[in-house]
Amino acid sequence: MKELSFKKGLKKIVEDNSTFRGRIFDLVIQSLIIISLLSFTIETSPDLEENFLQILNYLEIGCVFIFSVEYILRIYLSENKLRFICSFYGIIDLLAILPFYVSTGIDLRSIRIFRLFRLIRIFKLFRFGKALDRFLTAFKCIKEELGIFLFATIILLYISSVGIYYFESEVQPEQFGSVFKSLWWSVATLTTVGYGDIYPVTIGGKIFTFLILMAGLGIVAVPTGLIASALTKQKDN
C-alpha cells in the first residue's frame, strides 16, 4: 500500500506538470537538456584548455546520470513498460543516454560516432509544453495542403531550372551547363536567399529571375499563412 502511494506521488512529479513539483521537475530537465546541448556545442570549439574540457566532461557525466534516472523512473511509472520503451519518447530518451555508455564502455575509437546521437536530446524538449502539442495538431490538420504545396514547389523548381538553362546555358556553360547545375540557382532564387554565387547575365535571364523571385515570395507566404491559420483555430478550440 505504501509502495502504491509512493508510486502515485512520484507519478505526479514526473508525468504531471500541472502540479508545482511537476513543473519544477520539468524545468530542471529542460534546463539540463539545454546545458548538455550547450556543452556539446562548446566542446566542438578548437584550442580549448584541458581544465575547461574536464569541466565540460563533468557536466556531461552529471547530465547523463540525471537523464538515466529520469529514463528509469519513466519505465518504472509506466503502466505498459514495453509500450513506453518502444514509443517515440522512450526511444528518444534511450538514444539521449546510450551513446555515452557505449562510447565509455567500449574502447573503440570508431564507436565514438554514436556520440552524434547526443544531438537527439533536443527532441526531449518536445515532451514539454502545450504549445508544441498545438503545433503538431496544426500540422496534422493541414498536412494535405502542405503536401500539395510541396509537390507544386518541386514542379516549380524543375520548371525554373529548365527556364534559366535555356536563357543562360550558352553564355554561362560552367554555371548553367545543364538542368542539374541550374537546380542550385532555382533553389537559391525560389527561397529568396540569393547567395549570388551564380546569377543570370542575359536580359531574358534577368526577366525570368524577376518572375521566379515573385513566385518565391509566395513559396514563403503560402505555408506561413496555412500554419498561422491552423494554429489560430487550435488556440480557439
Side-chain angles (χ1 to χ4, degrees):
M1 196 70 179
K2 289 183 179 180
E3 183 181 353
L4 186 63
S5 177
F6 171 76
K7 189 174 182 179
K8 189 176 180 181
L10 197 59
K11 195 177 181 73
K12 285 186 176 181
I13 296 175
V14 177
E15 297 183 354
D16 187 4
N17 57 9
S18 63
T19 63
F20 175 75
R21 291 183 179 180
R23 287 193 294 272
I24 294 296
F25 179 83
D26 283 359
L27 183 61
V28 169
I29 295 298
Q30 290 178 60
S31 300
L32 286 174
I33 293 169
I34 294 171
I35 289 171
S36 67
L37 291 173
L38 286 174
S39 173
F40 172 77
T41 304
I42 296 170
E43 190 180 308
T44 60
S45 301
D47 303 325
L48 288 176
E49 293 184 4
E50 190 64 31
N51 292 336
F52 190 67
L53 284 173
Q54 193 67 29
I55 293 172
L56 293 178
N57 186 48
Y58 288 143
L59 274 175
E60 170 71 3
I61 293 171
C63 289
V64 169
F65 174 75
I66 295 175
F67 291 151
S68 302
V69 172
E70 180 208 6
Y71 180 66
I72 293 169
L73 280 175
R74 291 190 183 278
I75 294 175
Y76 170 69
L77 297 172
S78 179
E79 295 180 2
N80 191 330
K81 294 176 173 52
L82 182 61
R83 185 176 179 181
F84 169 77
I85 293 171
C86 297
S87 67
F88 172 77
Y89 290 122
I91 293 171
I92 291 298
D93 288 348
L94 178 62
L95 289 178
I97 60 174
L98 185 61
F100 176 83
Y101 293 112
V102 172
S103 61
T104 55
I106 301 176
D107 190 16
L108 294 173
R109 291 184 184 273
S110 61
I111 210 72
R112 290 181 181 175
I113 194 170
F114 283 106
R115 291 176 66 85
L116 292 175
F117 282 106
R118 289 164 66 187
L119 292 172
I120 292 179
R121 287 178 190 169
I122 199 166
F123 290 107
K124 286 166 65 67
L125 290 170
F126 290 169
R127 175 181 277 121
F128 309 102
K130 294 181 180 180
L132 289 170
D133 291 334
R134 285 198 294 268
F135 264 101
L136 291 174
T137 306
F139 272 106
K140 288 178 182 178
C141 292
I142 59 172
K143 61 182 179 181
E144 292 183 2
E145 289 86 349
L146 288 176
I148 293 172
F149 183 77
L150 178 62
F151 182 68
T153 302
I154 293 172
I155 293 174
L156 188 56
L157 276 172
Y158 178 74
I159 292 173
S160 61
S161 301
V162 173
I164 200 67
Y165 165 75
Y166 280 117
F167 281 114
E168 298 291 326
S169 59
E170 292 185 4
V171 181
Q172 302 187 77
E174 292 184 3
Q175 286 81 11
F176 300 96
S178 68
V179 174
F180 286 108
K181 287 184 178 181
S182 301
L183 186 61
W184 170 246
W185 172 88
S186 297
V187 172
T189 305
L190 270 176
T191 55
T192 67
V193 174
Y195 288 112
D197 51 349
I198 54 175
Y199 52 87
V201 294
T202 65
I203 297 298
K206 291 178 179 180
I207 294 173
F208 184 75
T209 299
F210 172 76
L211 296 175
I212 296 301
L213 280 171
M214 292 299 100
L217 295 176
I219 293 290
V220 176
V222 171
T224 303
L226 287 172
I227 294 170
S229 177
L231 283 172
T232 302
K233 290 179 180 178
Q234 291 301 318
K235 195 172 182 179
D236 292 339
N237 290 338

